Structure formats: structure tokens, C-alpha cells
Amino acid sequence: MQVQIYRNYDQMSVAAARLIAAQLRIKPDSVLGLATGSTPEGCYRELIRMHREEGLDFSRVSTKNLDEYVGLDPSNENSYRYFMNDKLFNHVNIRKEATQVPDGASADPEKAAEAYEKLCASMPADLQLLGIGGNGHIGFNEPDTIFHASTFVTALKPGTIEANKRFFHSADEVPRHAITMGMRQILQAKKILILISGPAKAEAAKGLLAGVVDPQVPASILQLHPDVVVMLDEAAARDLPAFQQHESADRFGNCYFFAE
Ligand code: PGA
């Protein structure tokens, strides 16, 4: 894994957008795996700016999102479909029909998960963007005794409901289940970019980078992927032994880069 540490969230976000833009310039018909949450918002803002001011072209891009809440339809402001339209798709020249999000409003979520797995298998990602939960989840792959391979319906952990209630009127309104891509589709991406920001993610960052591969820290499975870029801000990096010691590499051979 290549690890890049930035002074703050904004610098990390711009670097992430540049990496995605480079991918689109090299391969204009790229398939992007995309993520929701607060973390990628700055990256999406910068991509919109690059589209408006630098002509970054999304006309041939396809996307597939990691997850969706069960029970929320696309018109619900807290659905991840709504988020993606609002934070990115409505502001760039992407074809909406080329953007995929699991069908959280389906009357049969298990069936919707199966259908999404098939759909995702037909469009392998060139670049998968990820955030991470405070508990180490990626997508909604929560800590568990196993890594789930396929897209599945998962129950959200109390800590995740607590963390996500800020988007809702109360914790009671947060859906208890979600459809999430499993590890197969995530790991089959050619390249993975994971963004980690803020002190609440410091422990998860340590689990990802300095721990063993363990389904209790779902992101740790990324250690097995050959091309992962981890971008962190300093607040998220503070517990990494190599950051504290200002060493240039840790035991995984990671490259640490302290951006100005
Ligand atoms: P956040 O969520 O970016 O809103 O912190 C990330 C996640 O839970 O995966």
C-alpha cells in the first residue's frame, strides 16, 4: 500500500480528485467505484470544479456505488442515490443511466443485493474510492467473524447508527439495514483509493495499516490488494507508529509521504 499523509482534509481531498482525474484522462470510459459519507465530499467538490474550469470529462464514465440504505428510495434526502446526485452527478456531464447504486427501496432487498452483485460483476472498477468507518468498515461491511464476498444485506452496528444519525433528525430514523457490496467486488477493482480523515478515524487507520488482516477490522483486507493508495490527513494519521517516529517506511514496506 502506498500511504500519503496530508496536512489537512482539503489537501487530501484535492489530491484524491487529482488521482481520479488522472484516471479519467488516461481512460475516459473508466468505471469508478464510488463512496458516500462526509469524507469524499471535498473530493467530489474538487472534481466538479475540475469539470467546470478544466473540462474534466465524465461523458463516457460509468460508476457503481458501494452501498445503499434499505427502505430509502432515491427521492429521500438521506438515500445514497440522492447524495450522489446532489454531491456529484448533477454537476458534471455524466450519463445518469451509467451510474449505479443498489436498490434500497426494493420490496425484496436480498434479491436486490443479488441483482447488484451481477451488475457489478459485469462492470469491474478501474478505480474504487473508499471511506472508512470508525470501526474499520468499508462500504457497510461491518466488523464480523468473516469477510463477506458477495453483495449482501447487512445489519448496521450500533456505532454506525450513532455515527450516521447526524444526517437524520434522530438515531431512530437511521435505517437498521443496508445493501452493501461485499469484498469480492471491492478487491477486484484494479486500483483502490481510500480516504481517511479526522481523529475519529485514527484507530481504524492504524487497524488498516499496522494491524493484521482481520474481519473485525474489515478494511484490513485491503492489505491483500496489490494497488492501494491510502490518503490520510494528519489527524487520522496520528496513531500510526511510522508517522509518530517520522520514519520513511513501516513493516509493510509502505511509502510514507508528508505533503507540504
Ligand atoms: P464518513 O463515513 O465519511 O461520513 O465518516 C465513512 C464510512 O462510514 O464509511
Side-chain angles (χ1 to χ4, degrees):
M1 287 192 274
Q2 192 201 351
V3 182
Q4 304 182 358
I5 302 172
Y6 294 88
R7 293 278 170 240
N8 55 45
Y9 174 77
D10 288 343
Q11 289 185 5
M12 180 195 75
S13 299
V14 168
R18 284 189 183 146
L19 195 150
I20 294 170
Q23 171 66 39
L24 300 190
R25 291 192 174 109
I26 292 165
K27 189 177 177 214
D29 61 347
S30 288
V31 176
L32 298 179
L34 295 178
T36 50
S38 302
T39 309
E41 280 192 49
C43 169
Y44 293 155
R45 271 196 299 274
E46 178 64 7
L47 286 172
I48 293 166
R49 190 200 64 74
M50 290 168 121
H51 168 69
R52 289 185 178 149
E53 295 176 17
E54 298 167 17
L56 183 64
D57 182 22
F58 289 79
S59 64
R60 294 169 61 199
V61 173
S62 309
T63 67
K64 52 178 188 178
N65 263 74
L66 285 166
D67 46 16
E68 178 60 284
Y69 288 117
V70 167
L72 300 194
D73 73 50
S75 65
N76 188 308
E77 287 186 16
N78 284 311
S79 73
Y80 286 163
R81 162 53 77 181
Y82 190 99
F83 176 102
M84 288 311 302
N85 288 347
D86 187 44
K87 305 293 183 193
L88 182 63
F89 300 152
N90 287 348
H91 311 285
V92 296
N93 64 333
I94 198 162
R95 291 169 303 126
K96 277 283 172 56
E97 62 275 20
T99 67
Q100 310 294 340
V101 180
D103 180 7
S106 168
D108 187 343
E110 307 282 348
K111 219 170 171 179
E114 241 174 75
Y116 200 66
E117 177 70 19
K118 278 202 190 109
L119 178 72
C120 289
S122 72
M123 46 185 298
D126 294 290
L127 176 61
Q128 174 69 55
L129 177 64
L130 297 173
I132 190 170
N135 64 7
H137 74 206
I138 48 177
F140 273 131
N141 289 271
E142 298 280 43
D144 204 337
T145 50
I146 56 159
F147 291 111
H148 293 263
S150 299
T151 305
F152 68 111
V153 178
T154 185
L156 304 186
K157 295 278 185 196
T160 298
I161 292 167
E162 193 57 28
N164 289 7
K165 75 175 185 198
R166 67 191 193 279
F167 299 109
F168 296 80
H169 293 119
S170 72
D172 289 344
E173 276 185 25
V174 183
R176 279 1 190 201
H177 294 87
I179 298 173
T180 184
M181 214 183 259
M183 294 305 186
R184 182 191 298 118
Q185 295 306 328
I186 293 172
L187 290 178
Q188 281 183 356
K190 286 200 192 99
K191 188 180 191 76
I192 294 175
L193 168 60
I194 181 164
L195 304 182
I196 315 181
S197 169
K201 303 291 175 66
E203 200 180 324
K206 196 172 168 190
L208 163 64
L209 289 162
V212 295
V213 176
D214 178 353
Q216 293 297 340
V217 185
S220 64
I221 202 170
L222 301 178
Q223 291 174 26
L224 305 178
H225 190 282
D227 189 358
V228 180
V229 178
V230 186
M231 291 185 180
L232 308 96
D233 60 18
E234 281 192 358
R238 65 174 188 199
D239 289 348
L240 298 180
F243 180 66
Q244 289 167 348
Q245 294 160 21
H246 285 243
E247 286 176 354
S248 60
D250 77 359
R251 68 193 174 90
F252 293 109
N254 293 326
C255 163
Y256 286 83
F257 166 62
F258 299 89
E260 284 310 311

